[in-house]
């Protein structure tokens, strides 16, 4: 297993305030220190990081500083997480321009993956046509990713028009994008992560792990997710990509990373035995 960690736990999942009035600046942003996050992730024993687009763009004029941060902590830059509404034609061009700028910088700094979430839920409810529009927009994201030698994957997420299993099944035939299952979001949306991995195995190049119980996202081993079955299935599928732990928030971010890394160590020992 290649094990990574998302830096968003350091500061939590928020957004860039400029996005309220300017779509091109509508980034995800964790308010914590990326430098502290990378050091803590490395100390916990992970080998790579994923970060939000807003945190990545903070290094637009400090690229060498970012490269040195990774080098000093022996970390790989796995990928960047971004997103959009994707169903409103008037703002789609701006969203895609933003995503292209993010992809270009991520590629230049050595990333492998471009992960996108989204698909807005309208105030009056979801239209069936929204899935066609979302699929078409995601195909444009795929083209952007390929332009910069990145692997594009879609991340189902609570609060979007693709959070339930039937919604995911509507979308996937309408787009060529890969799937990045977030195991906890899938369960919270009413799905079974093991079954989703089985169903879309040929379209999974990247995966997010986090645990879940009683409506709360948790470090691995602190909820009831069936990671033993998931890892066994990934082994059977000869999956050789990254598994990134992505825990939105935790009172002590470093401790949260350590808990999840310790939990995964048992599977590494089992594989070596």
């Amino acid at each position: 297993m290649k094990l990574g960690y998302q830096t968003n736990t350091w500061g939590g999942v928020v957004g860039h305030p400029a996005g309220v009035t300017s779509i091109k600046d509508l980034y995800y942003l964790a308010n914590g220190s990326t430098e502290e996050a990378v050091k803590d992730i490395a100390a916990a024993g992970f080998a790579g990081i994923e970060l939000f687009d807003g945190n990545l763009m903070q290094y637009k004029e400090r690229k060498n500083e970012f490269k040195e941060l990774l080098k000093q902590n022996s970390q790989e830059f796995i990928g960047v997480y971004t997103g959009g509404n994707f169903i409103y034609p008037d703002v789609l061009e701006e969203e895609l321009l933003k995503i292209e700028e993010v992809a270009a910088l991520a590629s230049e700094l050595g990333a492998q993956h471009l992960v996108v979430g989204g698909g807005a839920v309208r105030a009056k409810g979801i239209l069936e046509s929204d899935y066609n529009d979302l699929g078409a927009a995601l195909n444009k994201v795929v083209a952007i990713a390929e332009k910069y030698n990145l692997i594009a994957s879609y991340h189902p997420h609570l609060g979007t028009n693709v959070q339930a299993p039937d919604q995911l099944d509507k979308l996937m035939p309408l787009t060529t994008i890969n799937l990045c299952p977030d195991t906890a979001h899938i369960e919270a949306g009413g799905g079974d992560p093991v079954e989703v991995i089985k169903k879309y195995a040929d379209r999974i190049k990247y995966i997010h792990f986090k645990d879940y119980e009683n409506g709360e996202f948790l470090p691995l081993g602190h909820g009831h997710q069936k990671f033993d079955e998931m890892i066994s299935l990934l082994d059977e599928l000869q999956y050789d990509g990254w598994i990134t732990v992505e825990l939105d928030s935790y009172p002590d971010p470093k401790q949260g990373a350590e808990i999840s890394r310790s939990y995964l160590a048992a599977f590494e020992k089992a594989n070596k035995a």
Side-chain angles (χ1 to χ4, degrees), residues 7 33 52 64 66 78-80 95 100-101 129 137 141 144 149 154 179-181 189 200-201 203 248:
T7 65
S33 165
F52 281 159
N64 288 335
F66 183 76
I78 304 167
V80 61
E95 291 179 329
E100 179 155 6
E101 186 178 18
S129 60
V141 172
I144 291 170
N149 297 311
Y154 178 74
L179 176 67
C180 173
Y200 294 107
R203 295 177 67 175
D248 297 344

Side-chain angles (χ1 to χ4, degrees), residues 6 8 12-15 28-29 50 52 81-86 115-121 126 131 134 138 153-169 171-172 178-191 196 208-210 212 215 217 246-249:
Q6 233 283 6
N8 64 354
V13 182
V14 292
Y28 286 99
L29 186 70
E50 177 193 308
F52 281 159
Y81 187 98
T82 186
N85 293 279
F86 294 131
V115 186
V116 295
V121 177
I126 299 168
Y131 293 102
L134 175 57
L138 292 176
S153 297
Y154 178 74
H155 179 298
H157 202 288
L158 293 179
T160 70
N161 60 19
V162 182
Q163 65 174 27
D166 64 318
Q167 294 171 329
L168 180 61
D169 290 341
L171 173 67
M172 292 304 282
N178 294 303
L179 176 67
C180 173
D182 180 302
T183 60
H185 274 281
I186 287 171
E187 181 180 348
V196 169
H208 280 180
F209 274 8
K210 61 173 164 269
Y212 181 76
F217 296 142
E246 191 257 306
L247 181 61
D248 297 344
S249 65

Side-chain angles (χ1 to χ4, degrees), residues 111-140:
Q112 302 171 35
H113 294 275
L114 177 68
V115 186
V116 295
V121 177
R122 299 173 186 271
K124 294 184 178 180
I126 299 168
L127 303 177
E128 284 302 310
S129 60
D130 290 341
Y131 293 102
N132 288 314
D133 292 338
L134 175 57
L138 292 176
N139 286 343
K140 293 179 179 179

Side-chain angles (χ1 to χ4, degrees), residues 96-267:
L96 294 175
L97 286 171
K98 176 204 70 174
I99 289 171
E100 179 155 6
E101 186 178 18
V102 168
L105 180 58
S107 178
E108 184 178 351
L109 293 174
Q112 302 171 35
H113 294 275
L114 177 68
V115 186
V116 295
V121 177
R122 299 173 186 271
K124 294 184 178 180
I126 299 168
L127 303 177
E128 284 302 310
S129 60
D130 290 341
Y131 293 102
N132 288 314
D133 292 338
L134 175 57
L138 292 176
N139 286 343
K140 293 179 179 179
V141 172
V142 171
I144 291 170
E146 290 176 347
K147 179 178 177 180
Y148 296 99
N149 297 311
L150 298 173
I151 300 168
S153 297
Y154 178 74
H155 179 298
H157 202 288
L158 293 179
T160 70
N161 60 19
V162 182
Q163 65 174 27
D166 64 318
Q167 294 171 329
L168 180 61
D169 290 341
K170 285 180 183 179
L171 173 67
M172 292 304 282
L174 302 173
T175 178
T176 61
I177 202 166
N178 294 303
L179 176 67
C180 173
D182 180 302
T183 60
H185 274 281
I186 287 171
E187 181 180 348
D192 181 337
V194 176
E195 293 306 312
V196 169
I197 293 170
K198 285 180 183 177
K199 188 169 190 174
Y200 294 107
D202 61 340
R203 295 177 67 175
I204 296 174
K205 311 297 180 187
Y206 188 46
I207 190 166
H208 280 180
F209 274 8
K210 61 173 164 269
D211 219 334
Y212 181 76
E213 192 163 74
N214 297 325
E216 186 177 2
F217 296 142
L218 299 164
L220 306 192
H222 280 208
H224 60 235
Q225 289 251 303
K226 298 175 284 190
F227 293 112
D228 54 346
E229 293 184 33
M230 294 181 221
I231 291 173
S232 177
L233 176 58
L234 290 170
D235 283 342
E236 289 176 20
L237 296 169
Q238 298 183 320
Y239 176 81
D240 60 358
W242 286 91
I243 296 172
T244 292
V245 179
E246 191 257 306
L247 181 61
D248 297 344
S249 65
Y250 198 70
D252 183 336
K254 184 178 181 181
Q255 183 185 54
E258 291 170 342
I259 291 168
S260 291
R261 188 64 185 85
S262 177
Y263 178 82
L264 289 168
F267 294 97

